[in-house]
């Protein structure tokens, strides 16, 4: 089954999915729906009978979506804690598959599990793949005409829908040019990324490089390696200058 309206796509999921809040299991199902409310990743919707109704408190609010229709809004309460407006039910949605399902706000819950593995940031997209391959390509990174990194032993990360990322050993990076940043981003496929800025003369290029100190198990090959934001640097691979990609991250 696959159903959609406008930019929304709906498909059945195959994983057991659980959401926890306040020490309670708010929802637990082996029949989740994957709903692409945005193009980048899906949200989970639970069959109504898989949600603990005792934890949902109806509010007077009705939330409108041009594609999904009118939603009754609920607050989630468990063990003295409250997640305001954290659950939605599109009772009469024009997307038939959504009827009889409850959407829980990802960030409002304490923890999410796919099978018995905790998942962070957002659900994994079953159509997204990450491959990390060792390479002997000669990769050079330039900023303002200055070589800031150069390696003949990069790891190339291929992620569906994104440009190739070149991860280089720290020993191949000019560490005299980098400065730590407070920025941290989180990825469900790779883990938590810590950022560096690069200073060339008087110009600081903020948050232009990152690395994963402790990546997820499936991305261990890039542990401690450094990638640069190709959208803002010049990448030369085997002597060929690459065109800067255009992405939401640049």
């Amino acid at each position: 089954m696959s159903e959609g309206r406008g930019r929304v796509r709906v498909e059945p999921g195959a994983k057991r999915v659980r959401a926890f809040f306040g020490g309670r299991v708010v929802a637990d199902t082996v029949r989740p729906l994957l709903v692409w409310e945005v193009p980048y990743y899906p949200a989970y919707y639970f069959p109504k009978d898989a949600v603990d109704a005792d934890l949902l408190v109806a509010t007077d609010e009705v939330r409108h979506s041009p594609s999904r229709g009118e939603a009754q809004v609920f607050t989630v309460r468990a063990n003295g804690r409250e997640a305001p407006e954290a659950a939605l039910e599109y009772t009469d949605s024009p997307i038939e598959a959504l009827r009889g399902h409850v959407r829980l706000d990802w960030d409002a819950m304490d923890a999410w599990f796919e099978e018995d593995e905790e998942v962070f940031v957002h659900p994994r997209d079953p159509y997204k793949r990450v491959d990390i391959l060792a390479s002997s390509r000669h990769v050079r990174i330039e900023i303002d005409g200055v070589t800031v990194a150069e390696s003949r032993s990069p790891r190339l990360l291929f992620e569906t829908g994104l440009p190739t990322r070149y991860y280089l050993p720290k020993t191949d990076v000019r560490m005299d040019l980098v400065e730590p940043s407070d920025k941290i981003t989180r990825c469900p496929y790779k883990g938590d990324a810590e950022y560096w800025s690069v200073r060339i003369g008087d110009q600081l290029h903020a948050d232009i490089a990152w690395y994963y100190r402790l990546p997820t198990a499936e991305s261990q090959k890039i542990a401690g390696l450094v990638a640069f934001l190709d959208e803002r640097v010049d990448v030369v691979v085997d002597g060929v200058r690459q065109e800067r990609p255009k992405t939401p991250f640049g």
Side-chain angles (χ1 to χ4, degrees):
M1 177 270 291
S2 178
E3 183 180 352
R5 184 171 186 266
R7 298 176 63 87
V8 176
R9 189 171 89 250
V10 182
E11 294 183 9
K15 301 170 183 173
R16 181 189 183 190
V17 178
R18 286 173 288 172
F20 290 77
F21 179 75
R24 298 284 299 275
V25 179
V26 181
D28 183 353
T29 186
V30 294
R31 299 177 289 111
L33 288 182
L34 289 163
V35 182
W36 279 263
E37 302 169 338
V38 297
Y40 314 112
Y41 53 82
Y44 278 127
Y45 281 60
F46 294 88
K48 194 171 181 179
D49 61 8
V51 180
D52 189 338
D54 292 338
L55 304 181
L56 301 187
V57 180
T59 72
D60 295 329
E61 182 181 353
V62 175
R63 194 167 297 172
H64 175 73
S65 164
S67 56
R68 286 163 280 160
E70 306 290 331
Q72 172 66 55
V73 180
F74 298 84
T75 287
V76 179
R77 289 180 183 165
N79 290 330
R81 293 183 56 207
E82 184 173 287
E85 303 174 358
L88 302 176
E89 182 184 1
Y90 293 93
T91 308
D92 298 311
S93 176
I95 303 176
E96 184 177 355
L98 298 186
R99 300 173 196 167
H101 287 75
V102 175
R103 181 196 191 279
L104 296 175
D105 182 77
W106 184 277
D107 293 331
M109 298 297 101
D110 292 333
W112 289 81
F113 284 80
E114 293 176 347
E115 296 298 335
D116 289 344
E117 294 191 6
E118 190 169 2
V119 186
F120 304 94
V121 187
H122 59 71
R124 294 185 175 106
D125 189 329
Y127 296 103
K128 185 177 285 289
R129 180 184 175 102
V130 177
D131 290 306
I132 302 168
L133 303 178
S135 176
S136 57
R137 296 199 201 188
H138 179 205
V139 177
R140 187 171 76 252
I141 308 295
E142 297 179 357
I143 299 177
D144 292 346
V146 176
T147 297
V148 297
E150 187 169 9
S151 180
R152 293 186 180 275
S153 55
R155 294 258 169 95
L156 273 55
L157 189 146
F158 303 91
E159 183 171 350
T160 306
L162 293 176
T164 303
R165 298 299 188 190
Y166 302 91
Y167 282 79
L168 313 181
K170 286 184 180 178
T171 51
D172 291 336
V173 177
R174 282 197 55 183
M175 301 298 290
D176 59 309
L177 299 179
V178 303
E179 299 180 7
S181 167
D182 293 331
K183 181 176 180 178
I184 293 177
T185 58
R186 306 177 73 204
C187 170
Y189 312 103
K190 299 185 288 292
D192 292 359
E194 301 176 48
Y195 279 72
W196 284 339
S197 299
V198 173
R199 186 176 296 278
I200 305 294
D202 295 329
Q203 179 67 41
L204 182 69
H205 299 267
D207 306 327
I208 205 168
W210 68 88
Y211 67 98
Y212 293 90
R213 188 187 304 269
L214 296 170
T216 58
E218 59 266 38
S219 296
Q220 284 298 310
K221 288 183 179 180
I222 57 170
L225 303 183
V226 181
F228 290 81
L229 191 61
D230 297 358
E231 294 86 336
R232 293 170 49 200
V233 303
D234 292 313
V235 181
V236 181
V237 180
D238 290 337
V240 179
R241 191 173 299 275
Q242 307 298 298
E243 183 177 349
R244 290 191 181 184
K246 298 184 185 301
T247 74
F249 308 108

